[in-house]
Amino acid sequence: FILPFQAFKYRMDVIFSPGYTAPLFLLCKNIVLIYDLNYHYHPSDFSKMELMVWKMLIPLSAKMSDRIIAASENSKKDIHNILGIALDKISVMYGGIDILSNFAEKSEEIEFVKKKYNTGENYVLSVSAFYPHKNMHRLIQSYGILKEKYGVKHKLVLIGTGGRAQQTIIGTIKDLSLE
């Protein structure tokens, strides 16, 4: 609610909103990043309140924005087909980082984190919220098979916020003795 006033006060040219929703009333250009429409495909992963908010704010943000960035071609199609947004308003931009250039100067910090969490030199990193549709339990089961059957030495490191599948994931980790 404050951002539109600040955008006006500071005469901003463009506001980029990287998390599904954007301020609905802006006098400057507005770009919103919509990763997916999981609230549409997996409504059971969200509380009633979350679902109500997503169903209202994502379509409104998409309609009010000057431009939409979709995280994939599939998301672009969904935004078009489900939200009724013109294809020429949606651009696809794939996520990712260049680890070497971003972290090359932070080797001491990287070593500190590796030591603190005992990752060793070789690990597989997964960054994700723990919702059922993310299939994190399948990742853990697959990792367990690779470790048991093929003696994989890499550790599996999971980073992310909680979610409705968090207890299932913790249970899978315990069941497979992968703590």
Side-chain angles (χ1 to χ4, degrees):
F1 294 105
I2 295 170
L3 189 57
F5 297 106
Q6 290 179 329
F8 177 75
K9 178 181 176 182
Y10 295 107
R11 299 180 187 176
M12 293 183 179
D13 297 319
V14 178
I15 296 286
F16 171 58
S17 301
Y20 291 94
T21 64
L24 300 179
F25 306 104
L26 284 171
L27 297 176
C28 63
K29 297 285 184 187
N30 185 10
I31 301 169
V32 64
L33 172 56
I34 299 176
Y35 295 89
D36 53 47
L37 296 180
N38 281 332
Y39 74 91
H40 177 81
Y41 290 109
H42 306 282
S44 62
D45 286 353
F46 301 91
S47 70
K48 288 181 182 180
M49 179 61 82
E50 288 172 321
L51 200 54
M52 183 179 74
V53 169
W54 287 135
K55 283 183 173 183
M56 181 179 67
L57 288 182
I58 292 176
L60 276 172
S61 294
K63 286 178 176 73
M64 300 297 289
S65 294
D66 295 288
R67 194 93 186 135
I68 298 169
I69 297 174
S72 68
E73 287 293 336
N74 191 61
S75 291
K76 179 178 180 174
K77 288 177 193 169
D78 286 347
I79 292 165
H80 171 69
N81 293 332
I82 295 166
L83 302 182
I85 304 297
L87 287 171
D88 62 355
K89 184 177 176 178
I90 309 166
S91 298
V92 174
M93 186 181 299
Y94 299 104
I97 60 171
D98 180 346
I99 290 178
L100 296 178
S101 66
N102 288 328
F103 297 112
E105 297 173 11
K106 300 180 181 179
S107 60
E108 289 177 14
E109 293 174 26
I110 292 171
E111 291 307 315
F112 172 80
V113 171
K114 284 181 183 178
K115 188 173 184 179
K116 181 177 179 180
Y117 295 104
N118 192 27
T119 64
E121 287 301 313
N122 299 310
Y123 56 92
V124 176
L125 177 65
S126 175
V127 182
S128 178
F130 300 149
Y131 288 106
H133 68 269
K134 300 283 187 172
N135 284 325
M136 295 298 290
H137 67 286
R138 296 279 189 237
L139 172 64
I140 295 163
Q141 289 172 336
S142 300
Y143 172 75
I145 291 168
L146 288 171
K147 188 171 181 168
E148 183 180 315
K149 196 170 183 179
Y150 300 103
V152 170
K153 303 288 185 218
H154 291 64
K155 291 192 177 183
L156 177 60
V157 179
L158 306 177
I159 299 174
T161 59
R164 275 179 244 325
Q166 185 168 342
Q167 293 308 315
T168 302
I169 290 167
I170 290 169
T172 302
I173 291 169
K174 287 180 181 177
D175 290 347
L176 298 174
S177 301
L178 295 173
E179 293 91 340

